[in-house]
Amino acid sequence: MALTVELFPCLSDNYGFLIRDEATGQVAAVDTPEAGAILAALEATGWGRLDLILNTHWHPDHTQGNAEIKAATGCEIVGPEEVRRVAPLDRVVADGEVVMLGETALLVTAMPGHTLGHVTYRSGADGIAFVGDVIFPLGCGRLFEGTPAQMWSSLQAVAAWPNVTRLYGAHEYAASNARFALSVDERPEMAAHAAEIFARRERGEATIPTTVGVEKAFNPFVRAGGEADFALRRAAKDVF
Ligand code: ZN
Ligand code: FE
């Protein structure tokens, strides 16, 4: 594997991610929830440089560290145009583009629904995807800007990736998502999967990353019976 991922908690329920292309030593931060925590984590890795920030969407808990981290490291900030609403951005990326981190190619995919400009970054060679607030273990992002149809098609696009793809979502919401999943899925294997998630959270373990295969098997939003059923489930979860 050519890409190393360091995950660490930020704010109340975000994760920060630092990733390193082992071939060249180039380093990126995926989203910037908290400049201090990200710079401290960078220091702890000993990686000694930060080349890129990769923003997934404009929300402040994904962009508010951009300016401070750029000032501290001189990195280039890459993301969708919508980031400019709230934070500095050097290079706009859109669907189908590739961002190189050293020798690692990260494919940009538009995944509207949570926000209109949300993108994900995926290394097919490493089987790793940074999915921001599109999909979480047993959950998906709230529809702040997009329509149910947009989020449904974004989730279907994630489901079309190889099953082994590790999904790095940006929040720890798994326990609450598991409680909702249990309310709509009575299969014994769902109960067993939820029990495993509760146990991991009780031990203080992250439930990130999950995989495409696991979410296709258990995620109640991915498994909805279509766009209309997805819309009903998302609305039900909003008030669960
Ligand atoms: Zn968000
Ligand atoms: Fe977020």
Side-chain angles (χ1 to χ4, degrees), residues 22-195:
E22 294 301 335
T24 61
Q26 287 194 26
V27 178
V30 182
D31 286 330
T32 60
E34 197 177 359
I38 292 165
L39 292 170
L42 182 63
E43 182 78 22
T45 61
W47 289 344
R49 61 192 283 178
L50 188 74
D51 298 278
L52 295 177
I53 288 169
L54 301 171
N55 289 133
T56 60
H57 65 294
W58 73 268
H59 284 161
D61 63 310
H62 300 257
T63 56
Q64 64 199 357
N66 280 15
E68 186 178 339
I69 292 169
K70 184 179 173 71
T73 64
C75 68
E76 181 185 23
I77 306 173
V78 174
E81 172 77 36
E82 65 174 20
V83 168
R84 292 210 166 115
R85 291 188 214 173
V86 294
L89 179 67
D90 300 315
R91 175 180 162 201
V92 173
V93 287
D95 187 56
E97 286 182 41
V98 171
V99 178
M100 297 304 297
L101 177 69
E103 295 179 2
T104 299
L106 294 158
L107 176 64
V108 177
T109 306
M111 295 274 182
H114 178 71
T115 67
L116 289 176
H118 198 302
V119 300
T120 59
Y121 299 91
R122 179 171 68 98
S123 165
D126 293 280
I128 289 176
F130 296 93
V131 293
D133 288 356
V134 173
I135 185 168
F136 310 109
L138 300 181
C140 73
R142 281 180 186 253
L143 305 181
F144 285 113
E145 297 177 4
T147 62
Q150 285 175 316
M151 187 57 121
W152 174 246
S153 79
S154 293
L155 292 175
Q156 297 308 297
V158 171
W161 292 342
N163 282 340
V164 296
T165 309
R166 278 166 288 167
L167 302 173
Y168 288 86
H171 291 271
E172 182 56 68
Y173 293 152
S176 140
N177 286 333
R179 286 190 286 276
F180 178 76
L182 287 171
S183 77
V184 297
D185 184 341
E186 293 178 348
R187 294 175 301 158
E189 57 267 40
M190 179 71 240
H193 181 62

